[in-house]
Amino acid sequence: MERATTTRHLSPETQPAGCAAATTQVPALNVPEAGTPMRVAFIGGHGRSGSTLLGRLLGSVDGVFSAGEVCYVWEQGVLRDWICSCGEPFSRCDFWQAVGQEAFGGWTTDVAERGLALRKLVDRNRYVPKLLAPGAFPGYARAEREYAQMYSAVHRGIARASGARVVVDTSKTPSTGYLLRRIPQVDLRVVHLVRDVHGVAYSWAKKVPRADRDGALMTRLSHRRTALEWTAFNALVEGLGLLGEPRLLLRYEDLVAAPETRLRDVLGFVGEGLLPAEPGLGFLEADTVTLARGHEVTGNPMRLQGGAIQLRLDQEWRRAMPRSQRRAITTAAAPGLVRYGYLGRSGVDR
Ligand SMILES: [Zn+2]
């Protein structure tokens, strides 16, 4: 099995692991009332699995809008004013300002600080058991209700500002999927994106400067931690399917090997009943994609690349990763490697 990536930077970005408790006062929010269902395609899985590429491919299709990692809008968008994929700082991006206007009557520091504090209290993988039955945890349930309302308002704003039938949220963190399923207006489709853990671990261990943040390095993780997280995160995303949420498993390597076929599979799933049966894919020709820069609020630096991008299988980890490290990762993540077809019958030598 080969690791797959584009010829340019493709590693999905890392995210800060927040843990502070919320202490801010609840600001008066202009949250829209519930309306018609919103189709949200949630890309779930582990970081550095190719979600930025998948989001951009989907967002290039008429009727689909890729919003990036929406769960980080509070901190990385509003508070830090980092760059949207259109190239403008968040505060000068017309699209995201329109979203804020729709959702809250405009972004404010109070709104963002409240959203961030609530996200840390609610939207974390360790809280998935509470997200399954918040009623058993009254304090948590209050925060969950408020955060779900705020997150729903953001998604409503994205849907209205974009006019899209399907909004793609590449947050990946499984708990965000569990939160989305609790929002009555959200018509959820879970795209479970999996990539060979060896490629994922190699990517997380590399030093990668971010072009979108003045060369600051992307967060790094040890191989061991990546292997454990990869196993846990993918199991949690599978759990969404067991709970009855529509889920489509997509291997990143398969997407790169046959982009048109796999992309049509995903579009048929996320766009069921809303998009044409055969959406136009004029941006895709064989193994080359030509992607316009959209308005993804956060994500891998690859979201900033315009022009033609050639997709190809990348075996760098095979060359660069010591054999002992490969074996340790294989051992730690063996059940998942077998489950997703990376190990076993294919006889792949690790
Ligand atoms: Zn923008």
Side-chain angles (χ1 to χ4, degrees):
M1 181 58 62
E2 296 173 305
R3 181 172 73 100
T5 187
T6 65
T7 53
R8 303 185 187 181
H9 298 301
L10 188 60
S11 305
E13 74 154 15
T14 181
Q15 296 299 339
C19 60
T23 56
T24 52
Q25 295 298 307
V26 183
L29 303 179
N30 178 22
V31 179
E33 294 297 316
T36 53
M38 303 179 286
R39 176 69 57 83
V40 176
F42 170 69
I43 299 179
H46 196 278
R48 316 285 175 94
S49 293
S51 62
T52 301
L53 173 67
L54 177 58
R56 292 195 67 185
L57 290 172
L58 291 170
S60 298
V61 176
D62 280 350
V64 183
F65 184 84
S66 180
E69 297 169 344
V70 179
C71 68
Y72 302 109
V73 68
W74 320 107
E75 182 176 24
Q76 299 184 18
V78 184
L79 298 176
R80 296 194 181 185
D81 202 21
W82 280 346
I83 295 174
C84 174
S85 64
C86 67
E88 293 289 341
F90 183 86
S91 62
R92 293 213 296 267
C93 167
D94 290 342
F95 176 80
W96 280 100
Q97 292 313 299
V99 171
Q101 198 64 40
E102 288 278 357
F104 307 112
W107 297 109
T108 66
T109 301
D110 279 352
V111 165
E113 287 182 344
R114 186 61 180 164
L116 175 61
L118 287 167
R119 180 176 72 78
K120 291 175 176 177
L121 285 173
V122 172
D123 185 6
R124 307 194 66 182
N125 289 325
R126 72 179 68 164
Y127 299 144
V128 164
K130 292 185 175 181
L131 278 165
L132 291 174
F137 310 92
Y140 180 85
R142 280 192 294 276
E144 186 270 335
R145 272 196 302 274
E146 184 184 348
Y147 188 57
Q149 191 180 40
M150 292 185 76
Y151 205 63
S152 174
V154 174
H155 264 287
R156 177 74 64 195
I158 295 167
R160 288 183 177 166
S162 67
R165 314 293 299 274
V166 178
V167 170
V168 181
D169 183 338
T170 62
S171 293
K172 289 186 298 298
T173 308
S175 58
T176 304
Y178 284 80
L179 175 77
L180 282 165
R181 72 181 285 272
R182 292 195 50 78
I183 299 174
Q185 303 93 333
V186 167
D187 177 14
L188 185 62
R189 296 290 184 279
V190 178
V191 180
H192 183 181
L193 184 63
V194 177
R195 179 185 181 187
D196 187 328
V197 65
H198 299 86
V200 175
Y202 182 74
S203 177
W204 276 100
K206 269 198 309 190
K207 289 183 179 177
V208 180
R210 298 192 63 114
D212 55 343
R213 292 178 199 167
D214 297 328
L217 290 181
M218 295 180 75
T219 300
R220 300 171 69 198
L221 292 180
S222 70
H223 294 101
R224 178 176 171 75
R225 178 168 169 183
T226 299
L228 295 174
E229 281 192 358
W230 183 88
T231 299
F233 285 20
N234 284 309
L236 286 171
V237 178
E238 290 213 19
L240 288 166
L242 295 173
L243 290 167
E245 303 303 328
R247 181 184 70 102
L248 177 75
L249 179 66
L250 174 67
R251 298 198 318 176
Y252 175 53
E253 294 82 358
D254 296 339
L255 173 66
V256 174
E260 180 171 349
T261 304
R262 295 285 85 81
L263 189 56
R264 289 199 183 282
D265 289 345
V266 177
L267 286 166
F269 173 69
V270 303
E272 184 184 8
L274 297 178
L275 298 177
E278 293 286 326
L281 301 181
F283 57 90
L284 175 62
E285 189 171 333
D287 65 349
T288 300
V289 291
T290 305
L291 302 173
R293 284 166 63 167
H295 295 285
E296 286 151 321
V297 64
T298 63
N300 184 281
M302 181 263 183
R303 73 198 162 96
L304 299 175
Q305 293 174 359
I309 298 173
Q310 187 184 21
L311 308 177
R312 68 173 176 84
L313 293 173
D314 182 339
Q315 302 189 73
E316 187 180 353
W317 69 267
R318 284 184 168 279
R319 178 185 57 76
M321 185 180 276
R323 214 167 172 77
S324 60
Q325 217 163 55
R326 283 195 220 178
R327 287 202 198 95
I329 293 170
T330 302
T331 302
L337 286 167
V338 173
R339 185 166 182 78
Y340 303 124
Y342 294 110
L343 189 65
R345 287 184 185 175
S346 60
V348 177
D349 174 22
R350 299 290 177 201

